[in-house]
Amino acid sequence: MPLLPRLQLFEFLDQPWLPGPLRRGEVDYLRVVLDRMRPYDSVAPQLAELLRTAGTDRIVDLCSGSGGPWRTLLPALRAVHDRAEVLLTDLHPVPGQELPPGAQYRDTPVDATRIPEELTGVRTLFEGLHHFPPERARALLADAAARQVPFAAFELTQRSLPYLLVQLLLVVPLVWGFTPLIRPMRWWSLALTYLVPILPLLILWDGVVSSLRTYAPEDLERLTTGIGSDGYRWSSGVHRVQGMAITYLIGQPRRPL
């Protein structure tokens, strides 16, 4: 399927000035969607293999937002690697998340391009790589390779015209439909969704922009060229599950740590 040109536009969720209720409203919606659809439970075996080859039980998740897919993914991962644990981090933390056993949320900011040395473990990034322009994405990936840390990124968005058309038609109705499932229910969330529909439009904009920023497998191949040299290897592709296409990028040392 022909790709649209990649455009590094802005997303509201990336902006530090975004008012707290709007940030919380968007991440709450994304949380409910991931919890209901559970698209990433299928990558548990890949993550378990990365943990095994790295000789660790710990995952450091970057750009975690409201907790990403971990409410359902961590139990699925523990079914195949029972000691797995995850530390969730974000540049703009959203504390107070309900998380499964084995998950912790770091409530101080973590820049994914400057990860503190004490945060060791397999690095993961769900729906986050597209936020970084190529030069910053390469720096993020190069740091994982330089430290010989396994890395895995996954994204559901696609940079294609059919996918964008589906978003334009369905995102706003989906926001209206999923909002009543958000717990705890907040009066301002209802007002900003149904009375003055700022949240549906904000989520639609960020969704369309996310698609236009998404790296396809061929982009990822160019992005990782020369990173890690002989000591690190990269693989990318598309994993299909339940009618959804998940683009992945996996990096790991050529020799076990």
Side-chain angles (χ1 to χ4, degrees):
M1 184 180 298
L3 293 176
L4 296 170
R6 185 179 184 277
L7 301 176
Q8 191 66 40
L9 304 174
F10 86 96
E11 291 185 47
F12 285 101
L13 206 55
D14 290 342
Q15 310 308 314
W17 48 258
L18 184 67
L22 295 180
R23 182 181 304 279
R24 187 65 189 239
E26 182 166 356
V27 298
D28 280 351
Y29 165 76
L30 296 173
R31 170 176 56 82
V32 168
V33 170
L34 287 175
D35 287 353
R36 295 285 171 161
M37 296 178 64
R38 307 177 64 149
Y40 292 116
D41 289 15
S42 61
V43 307
Q46 290 174 284
L47 296 179
E49 179 62 17
L50 286 177
L51 290 172
R52 186 191 66 77
T53 57
T56 183
D57 299 323
R58 190 191 202 197
I59 289 173
V60 177
D61 189 59
L62 310 174
C63 304
S64 301
S66 64
W70 292 103
R71 280 167 295 275
T72 63
L73 174 55
L74 186 55
L77 176 58
R78 283 190 152 191
V80 290
H81 189 98
D82 60 3
R83 298 179 305 280
E85 59 184 40
V86 60
L87 176 66
L88 290 83
T89 70
D90 200 87
L91 184 60
H92 306 291
V94 184
Q97 300 301 322
E98 181 181 346
L99 297 172
Q104 288 184 294
Y105 199 113
R106 181 172 170 129
D107 59 5
T108 55
V110 172
D111 185 340
T113 64
R114 290 189 290 272
I115 300 171
E117 291 188 6
E118 69 269 17
L119 299 187
T120 58
V122 173
R123 297 179 185 176
T124 57
L125 186 59
F126 289 88
E127 304 296 326
L129 191 59
H130 69 265
H131 290 273
F132 300 90
E135 63 275 11
R136 294 189 69 212
R138 279 184 62 86
L140 183 155
L141 302 175
D143 184 68
R147 297 196 200 183
Q148 293 287 285
V149 176
F151 176 91
F154 304 93
E155 302 219 315
L156 276 170
T157 50
Q158 301 170 46
R159 207 173 73 238
S160 67
L161 184 58
Y163 188 85
L164 285 178
L165 292 176
V166 168
Q167 284 187 308
L168 291 171
L169 291 172
L170 295 183
V171 166
V172 171
L174 285 173
V175 176
W176 289 337
F178 276 111
T179 293
L181 303 178
I182 295 173
R183 295 292 183 274
M185 182 70 70
R186 299 176 174 88
W187 69 266
W188 50 260
S189 178
L190 296 175
L192 293 173
T193 299
Y194 301 108
L195 186 60
V196 183
I198 296 175
L199 276 172
L201 295 176
L202 183 149
I203 292 168
L204 174 62
W205 172 271
D206 278 2
V208 169
V209 170
S210 293
S211 297
L212 292 173
R213 298 166 93 181
T214 296
Y215 293 102
E218 48 265 49
D219 302 317
L220 296 172
E221 186 174 348
R222 289 191 294 269
L223 202 62
T224 55
T225 298
I227 295 179
S229 188
D230 293 334
Y232 203 85
R233 59 188 173 90
W234 298 96
S235 61
S236 61
V238 176
H239 170 62
R240 299 188 182 277
V241 57
Q242 298 177 353
M244 296 175 285
I246 300 174
T247 301
Y248 65 85
L249 173 66
I250 306 291
Q252 55 188 318
R254 291 187 180 275
R255 297 174 297 278
L257 295 175

